Amino acid sequence: MNRKNIKRGLLPYVFLILIILVVFYIFNVVNVKVNTFTYDQFINELNKENITELEIVPRERAKIYEITGKIKGYDENETFYVKAPLSDEVIKRIISSEEELGFKVEAVADPESSSFLLILVNVLPMVILIGGAFWLFSRQMGNAGKSMDFGKSKAKLNDEKNKVTFKDVAGLKEEKEEVRELIDFLKNPKRFQKLGARIPKGVLLVGPPGTGKTLLAKAVAGEANVPFYYISGSDFVELFVGVGASRVRDMFKQAKHNAPCLIFIDEIDAVGRQRGTGLGGGHDEREQTLNQLLTEMDGFGANEGIIIIAATNRADVLDPALLRPGRFDRQVTVNLPDIKGREEILQVHARNKVLAPTVTLHNLAKRTPGFSGADLENLLNEAALLAVRRNKDMITMSEIDEATDRVLMGPAKVSKKYTEAEKKMVAYHEAGHVVLGLKLDDANDVQKVTIIPRSYAGGYAMMIPKEEKYTSTKKELLERITGLLGGRVSEELNFGEITTGAHNDFEKATKIARSMVTEYGMSDLGPVQLEQQEGGVFLGRDYNKSRNFSNEVAHEIDLEMRKIIDECYKKAKEILKENKDLVKLIAEALLEYETLTQEQIEYLVEHKEMPKEEVDYDSYSMTELRMIAKEKGIKGYTKMTKEEIIEELKKL
């Protein structure tokens, strides 16, 4: 915790303790009983030897002694008080011979003779009380000022120390070219103004989560070397109506003072949703905030030198007025990276990772289609954590394979035990997927198959397309459905029984079949789009599809879907019957090894046996190698280098 914050937190308690002490002192003073004596009474009590304590204070200005003390029989808080002439011989004798008396005598110097002590006694308590009251009052006023300050913008200025440039953004070549014009304009605006060109006032970055939209916006600001304000769309919306609009005005006011500059609004769909939509009406505060944002971007006022970059993964719900020319003039789609982009992203995130020589980022990029930049960063981080957990000096393919499975399906449930019958059923189910992937030209390749349970799956086959393509043919979709049905068909053929293990396969196959009929026009109903996604902002997902057909057509859609599924199921059954021995071979290998990679499957199909396991000794630490050498009976291993031990192990 910051020391300043600690001091601020202790101040109220210190002040409270001082007040308690002052009150306690005053309370004690008030409760002291003081008996005022005449000088004769005092001499009389002194002669009777009734006095037990005595305190004498000279007052030179008044030329008197102030005497306080106690008499036998007094309570603890009871004293007497008497004044005596400053020239009194009795008092002088008492002071000079205090050791001979039978009671305690204390002589105090005149407080008035010390100006500092006088100020300390009389002025300091008042200063403490007045200062404390002023401090409390100013603190309350400060809190009140903060409560009245909620209309100020929450946009933060970027930190120059953590500047991001295009070197830190990988896999977005076309997207970087699109926004490079903004940098050129901010650096040299006259070049554009000379030809009458107007730079876009706003750029909207659209794409799935984790694709690098925020990182790209930071890189634009870092390359342009201009002030960069960043804020989230949710920071505008508050409970009180008008606060969001006030924050928008204040944000643009700050930006104008620092123009040229960039404003980045992350998750703009939180404030930029369509107005006046939904079953329950609009949200007045959000709509007022959006209206103010529209006015500031392209209204009567000019915002020269201010460029707005916004990011969202829900461009379909944004208000049309926000997307018109003059506001967000340009939309840049940040898609999931292709194989080349994934390799570049992996190279960026592997800078501080210690990878084994056997790890090839190009091969890893081929095995991870559909991964976003955030997924790839998480994959390498999980692999690094696994390597540390296993006490390894570098990250090997073993950790990367396990990390890939963790990202896709979660950690393996090693403690979960199958019955022998259930394990055999799962093995044949997954073997059905593998065989169809091998025999169908356009089905997805099986990259890896395992019967180790993860998440809710008892086992799974990692299937990826043979090639990354933007479109799919009818044949490819039909063979993809056939591959998905292979697990259920294998169960039926080999056991005469079916299980619930294929429910996720059916979900995917049914979705593809319905899209073929209702969206892609790949059925006997013809090239007609019967369903399409609507842009209903606040409606549920079940209401988001527009159905432009009658009940009779709905029945025909069901028949066409059933026809596609039945034909694919029949084809899968024919292929698996013809390759029953191959299914058995792969299933038995799964029962023994539990996990098979693509290379092992290909070797098994060709040679009818599993390849001999080659141990990657380079990934082992020196301690592990010496333990293995000891088990293998290698003599003199303690004096060998790592390379010599590996050479001896390979000979065995």
Side-chain angles (χ1 to χ4, degrees):
M1 186 182 290
N2 195 342
R3 291 184 177 179
K4 291 184 178 178
N5 293 334
I6 294 175
K7 291 179 180 178
R8 290 176 183 174
L10 291 176
L11 278 175
Y13 298 102
V14 173
F15 184 69
L16 181 63
I17 292 171
L18 288 174
I19 292 177
I20 292 172
L21 291 174
V22 171
V23 171
F24 183 74
Y25 172 75
I26 295 173
F27 180 78
N28 282 341
V29 170
V30 170
N31 284 276
V32 172
K33 183 180 179 182
V34 181
N35 299 316
T36 304
F37 282 5
T38 62
Y39 183 67
D40 292 337
Q41 288 177 317
F42 168 69
I43 295 298
N44 187 29
E45 295 293 338
L46 183 63
N47 293 331
K48 292 180 180 179
E49 297 183 354
N50 289 335
I51 296 176
T52 58
E53 290 183 16
L54 202 63
E55 182 179 311
I56 303 172
V57 180
R59 298 290 184 181
E60 295 183 359
R61 291 187 180 182
K63 296 184 178 181
I64 59 171
Y65 287 112
E66 287 187 348
I67 304 171
T68 57
K70 289 189 175 184
I71 298 176
K72 292 178 182 179
Y74 271 16
D75 295 333
E76 185 178 352
N77 293 330
E78 187 177 3
T79 61
F80 69 84
Y81 173 77
V82 65
K83 293 180 181 179
L86 193 61
S87 59
D88 190 276
E89 295 296 332
V90 176
I91 303 303
K92 291 180 180 179
R93 184 169 56 84
I94 292 173
I95 295 173
S96 60
S97 59
E98 56 179 304
E99 295 180 358
E100 300 176 2
L101 299 174
F103 55 86
K104 182 180 178 182
V105 178
E106 185 177 355
V108 181
D110 187 358
E112 296 179 357
S113 62
S114 174
S115 58
F116 175 76
L117 186 61
L118 181 65
I119 293 173
L120 190 66
V121 173
N122 297 309
V123 179
L124 186 60
M126 295 299 296
V127 170
I128 292 174
L129 290 174
I130 295 172
F134 179 77
W135 177 76
L136 285 176
F137 180 74
S138 61
R139 185 179 177 87
Q140 292 298 322
M141 289 298 293
N143 291 336
K146 287 180 182 178
S147 64
M148 296 301 292
D149 198 34
F150 52 74
K152 296 292 184 181
S153 170
K154 291 187 176 181
K156 299 177 181 178
L157 197 62
N158 68 317
D159 188 1
E160 293 293 332
K161 297 179 181 178
N162 301 321
K163 186 179 291 186
V164 178
T165 62
F166 281 161
K167 293 180 181 179
D168 303 307
V169 183
L172 299 175
K173 183 179 179 181
E174 291 79 10
E175 290 82 354
K176 286 190 283 189
E177 290 298 327
E178 285 290 324
V179 297
R180 198 178 294 277
E181 286 182 0
L182 305 180
I183 301 169
D184 294 338
F185 173 77
L186 292 169
K187 288 183 175 180
N188 188 14
K190 293 182 179 179
R191 178 187 169 199
F192 293 84
Q193 295 167 358
K194 184 178 179 180
L195 296 177
R198 178 183 63 81
I199 201 69
K201 292 186 177 180
V203 176
L204 183 65
L205 304 178
V206 184
T211 50
K213 300 183 292 295
T214 304
L215 186 66
L216 183 60
K218 290 182 179 179
V220 172
E223 291 286 340
N225 198 24
V226 297
F228 174 66
Y229 291 93
Y230 58 96
I231 191 171
S232 172
S234 60
D235 287 333
F236 291 111
V237 183
E238 284 284 355
L239 173 66
F240 304 105
V241 177
V243 174
S246 175
R247 287 178 177 174
V248 171
R249 287 191 294 270
D250 188 66
M251 179 180 68
F252 277 89
K253 182 180 177 182
Q254 292 181 31
K256 288 176 184 177
H257 290 307
N258 292 281
C261 68
L262 285 169
I263 296 176
F264 176 62
I265 305 175
D266 200 9
E267 304 297 343
I268 195 173
D269 53 276
V271 71
R273 289 173 178 257
Q274 294 181 25
R275 293 166 289 182
T277 56
L279 297 174
H283 187 296
D284 198 33
E285 159 63 359
R286 183 184 51 75
E287 291 187 3
Q288 284 198 23
T289 306
L290 175 58
N291 291 338
Q292 187 63 45
L293 182 61
L294 296 173
T295 303
E296 292 289 346
M297 288 188 69
D298 187 30
F300 287 102
N303 289 319
E304 295 296 335
I306 300 175
I307 297 176
I308 300 177
I309 302 178
T312 182
N313 53 6
R314 294 292 311 277
D316 56 311
V317 305
L318 295 180
D319 195 281
L322 200 61
L323 303 177
R324 73 157 176 83
R327 288 182 178 133
F328 283 107
D329 306 82
R330 183 178 297 177
Q331 291 190 32
V332 177
T333 303
V334 185
N335 281 321
L336 293 170
D338 56 8
I339 181 172
K340 184 178 179 182
R342 291 196 297 274
E343 185 176 356
E344 292 175 0
I345 293 170
L346 287 168
Q347 288 173 354
V348 170
H349 294 303
R351 288 173 183 170
N352 61 340
K353 305 288 191 303
V354 182
L355 300 177
T358 54
V359 176
T360 307
L361 295 181
H362 178 72
N363 293 336
L364 181 57
K366 288 175 63 177
R367 297 171 56 184
T368 51
F371 276 52
S372 66
D375 292 330
L376 294 171
E377 190 275 335
N378 189 35
L379 187 150
L380 288 181
N381 185 62
E382 285 287 345
L385 293 174
L386 286 169
V388 173
R389 193 180 303 172
R390 296 173 180 179
N391 296 319
K392 290 190 175 181
D393 298 329
M394 58 185 67
I395 302 169
T396 66
M397 283 304 300
S398 174
E399 285 75 44
I400 288 179
D401 285 339
E402 175 64 20
T404 305
D405 294 340
R406 281 172 169 265
V407 172
L408 291 174
M409 300 290 294
K413 296 184 177 180
V414 183
S415 60
K416 185 177 179 180
K417 300 298 181 183
Y418 282 124
T419 62
E420 288 300 320
E422 189 179 16
K423 187 175 182 180
K424 191 174 182 180
M425 183 77 77
V426 172
Y428 274 88
H429 177 105
E430 301 302 336
H433 289 304
V434 174
V435 171
L436 288 175
L438 293 171
K439 296 302 179 180
L440 294 172
D441 294 333
D442 295 315
N444 289 344
D445 277 342
V446 178
Q447 186 73 32
K448 180 181 179 180
V449 61
T450 180
I451 58 173
I452 298 174
R454 290 179 185 269
S455 185
Y456 296 103
Y460 74 97
M462 186 188 297
M463 306 171 73
I464 63 173
K466 289 181 172 65
E467 295 180 355
E468 291 187 48
K469 300 167 65 176
Y470 288 101
T471 59
S472 298
T473 64
K474 182 178 179 180
K475 183 185 177 185
E476 289 172 348
L477 293 175
L478 290 173
E479 292 195 353
R480 200 173 298 169
I481 294 173
T482 305
L484 289 168
L485 297 175
R488 167 58 66 87
V489 174
S490 181
E491 293 174 4
E492 186 178 347
L493 289 177
N494 291 281
F495 299 97
E497 186 61 271
I498 56 177
T499 68
T500 60
H503 72 282
N504 186 248
D505 299 329
F506 293 157
E507 180 184 349
K508 294 177 181 177
T510 305
K511 185 177 180 181
I512 296 172
R514 187 169 189 88
S515 297
M516 289 176 66
V517 176
T518 62
E519 295 181 40
Y520 306 147
M522 294 180 177
S523 70
D524 293 341
L525 294 181
V528 181
Q529 189 179 51
L530 300 171
E531 290 181 349
Q532 61 182 2
Q533 293 291 331
E534 284 289 317
V537 182
F538 297 105
L539 300 178
R541 293 182 182 271
D542 294 338
Y543 298 95
N544 272 4
K545 281 191 175 182
S546 174
R547 293 174 171 83
N548 300 317
F549 48 82
S550 62
N551 292 332
E552 289 78 8
V553 176
H555 179 64
E556 291 182 24
I557 291 173
D558 293 339
L559 293 177
E560 288 295 322
M561 288 175 56
R562 184 178 296 275
K563 180 182 175 182
I564 291 172
I565 297 293
D566 288 344
E567 288 179 354
C568 292
Y569 196 88
K570 183 180 178 181
K571 186 176 181 179
K573 186 175 288 188
E574 292 175 357
I575 295 173
L576 292 183
K577 278 184 178 179
E578 294 173 359
N579 298 275
K580 195 170 184 179
D581 293 338
L582 183 58
V583 173
K584 183 179 179 181
L585 179 66
I586 295 174
E588 289 179 350
L590 279 172
L591 288 171
E592 182 178 355
Y593 294 96
E594 293 188 331
T595 300
L596 300 177
T597 63
Q598 185 179 21
E599 294 78 12
Q600 289 174 325
I601 293 170
E602 291 174 353
Y603 189 93
L604 181 64
V605 172
E606 184 178 352
H607 299 89
K608 307 303 179 184
E609 63 178 3
M610 287 291 291
K612 294 181 179 179
E613 185 178 359
E614 293 185 5
V615 182
D616 182 18
Y617 290 116
D618 291 327
S619 63
Y620 284 78
S621 65
M622 190 65 180
T623 304
E624 292 173 326
L625 288 172
R626 285 177 175 173
M627 290 176 63
I628 296 171
K630 183 179 179 181
E631 292 175 1
K632 299 289 185 180
I634 298 175
K635 297 181 179 180
Y637 67 89
T638 56
K639 298 179 181 179
M640 293 182 184
T641 63
K642 184 175 182 179
E643 290 74 16
E644 291 172 342
I645 295 176
I646 292 174
E647 187 176 348
E648 291 295 325
L649 289 171
K650 287 182 177 179
K651 289 179 182 179
L652 298 175

